Amino acid sequence: MVDFKGPRMCPQGVTDARPAVVETSGLTKAYGSHVALDGLDLRIEAGATGLLGANGAGKSTLLKTLLGLVQVSAGEGKVLGFDIRTDGPSIRQRIGYMPEYEALDPRMDGIHQVRYAGELLGMNPTVAMGRAHQALEYVGLGEQRYRPISSYSTGMRQATKLACAIIHDPELIIADEPSNGLDAASRDFMLQTLDTTVRNGQRSVLMASHLMDDVEQVCERIVLLHKGRLVAQGRIEDLKAIDREYEVHVWGAADAMATGLADRGLHVRREGRVMRVAQERDGIPTEILEVAAETGAQVRRLHMYEASLEDLFIAIMERLGHDVKSSDDLYANAPKGGAGPA
Ligand SMILES: Nc1ncnc2c1ncn2[C@@H]1O[C@H](COP(=O)(O)OP(=O)(O)OP(=O)(O)O)[C@@H](O)[C@H]1O
Ligand SMILES: [Mg+2]
């Protein structure tokens, strides 16, 4: 947890009534000399958790490791109480996995593809067929179930992958970039379906995504990886609390105001006439008004800023030494190489 040690950033020691669906300790995966996962200590509770990180951060590797599909190099982990090193088949029977890449046979129709997924999990063909109808109905493909997958849109393919993942009504769904390539309507439907599965179905979802909005829409918690290392985990609301900011809109003398605030040792992020000042100590609003008076800036609005997950992500990346204006920035310039000094 580079720069983020301490209970506020990493509330791992906090006891919570909810059971853990995933727990790892020192989990490490190296591909040759490349360390893709570096000593991860994770505790993922029941509910919806977003797995965030730039390209190459290790998200897919972690998911595959939890499924027992990728052998760990060191450390240990449990999924629903099963050991990821030895109980891969038991884990895969109990969780639903929606992989990142195309996993469908274009020659099959939807219903047979989903039935096949059930059969692979050990269901008899009749039960699998019955469940396939239900699963396809659930993901909004009831009417298209007899069409060949080759004629499906990306949204329909993603929905079919989800149907395959939930055919056995798993306790935990692991979804790798579930809204990848989807248009706004399909994306919304996918996220709503995952959300309903958690809220009404009492199931857990662990979804890797590089889209902050997606994660914020579905998940209460996040795990954030950076170059194979864990940099933050916990409830989004708790994590946001570490970086509270006041937002001040000024008119005139904005440059002098920003300088004046910085001269007092305050951390200021500025976009034109809007400045956000970190709540690093008590009495910040008074100081803002004092600096405004000193510099002749007119304060038009002053309030506590409602941070988004995107803001939290940027704040964490800044602390890790990355000057990013948005998460897209980081994805466009994904950090090269594996774990190493951040
Ligand atoms: N089979 C493999 N052999 C060698 N290196 C690998 C393999 N799979 C992944 N890696 C490397 O491990 C690192 C983590 O990859 P991973 O796919 O887990 O990242 P990710 O966070 O899922 O990225 P993305 O956002 O692009 O999906 C990357 O540097 C990647 O190149
Ligand atoms: Mg990935």
Side-chain angles (χ1 to χ4, degrees), residues 204-235:
S204 294
V205 167
L206 172 60
M207 60 181 260
S209 180
H210 61 275
L211 300 172
M212 303 294 142
D213 288 350
D214 282 18
V215 169
E216 195 144 39
Q217 196 170 322
V218 179
C219 303
E220 191 192 347
R221 294 166 178 275
I222 57 161
V223 166
L224 173 55
L225 300 182
H226 187 60
K227 297 184 185 178
R229 289 187 179 162
L230 177 64
V231 290
Q233 69 173 327
R235 289 181 64 234

Side-chain angles (χ1 to χ4, degrees), residues 31 34 36 54-61 100 177:
Y31 294 109
H34 179 79
N55 297 124
K59 304 181 295 296
S60 298
T61 302
E100 185 175 20
E177 305 281 354

Side-chain angles (χ1 to χ4, degrees), residues 248-252 254 270-275 298 301:
V248 54
H249 296 234
V250 299
W251 190 258
R270 180 183 163 198
E271 265 185 49
R273 296 184 184 128
V274 180
M275 283 165 231
Q298 274 181 40
R301 277 169 67 191

Side-chain angles (χ1 to χ4, degrees), residues 177-200:
E177 305 281 354
S179 66
N180 220 1
L182 302 190
D183 60 27
S186 314
R187 172 177 163 249
D188 218 45
F189 185 79
M190 171 63 68
L191 298 176
Q192 269 179 31
T193 307
L194 290 171
D195 190 44
T196 305
T197 308
V198 175
R199 284 179 201 279
N200 301 350

Side-chain angles (χ1 to χ4, degrees), residues 9 13 18 27 63 68 78 80 89 106 119 128 140 145 154 156 233 246 251 264 279 286 300 311 317 339 341:
M9 196 62 205
R18 285 204 256 174
L27 187 67
L63 298 185
K78 283 189 173 176
L80 302 174
E119 287 174 4
R145 70 188 106 172
T154 310
M156 290 160 73
Q233 69 173 327
Y246 287 96
W251 190 258
R264 289 186 177 220
Q279 190 195 24
T286 311
R300 294 280 168 98
D311 294 317
M317 286 303 147

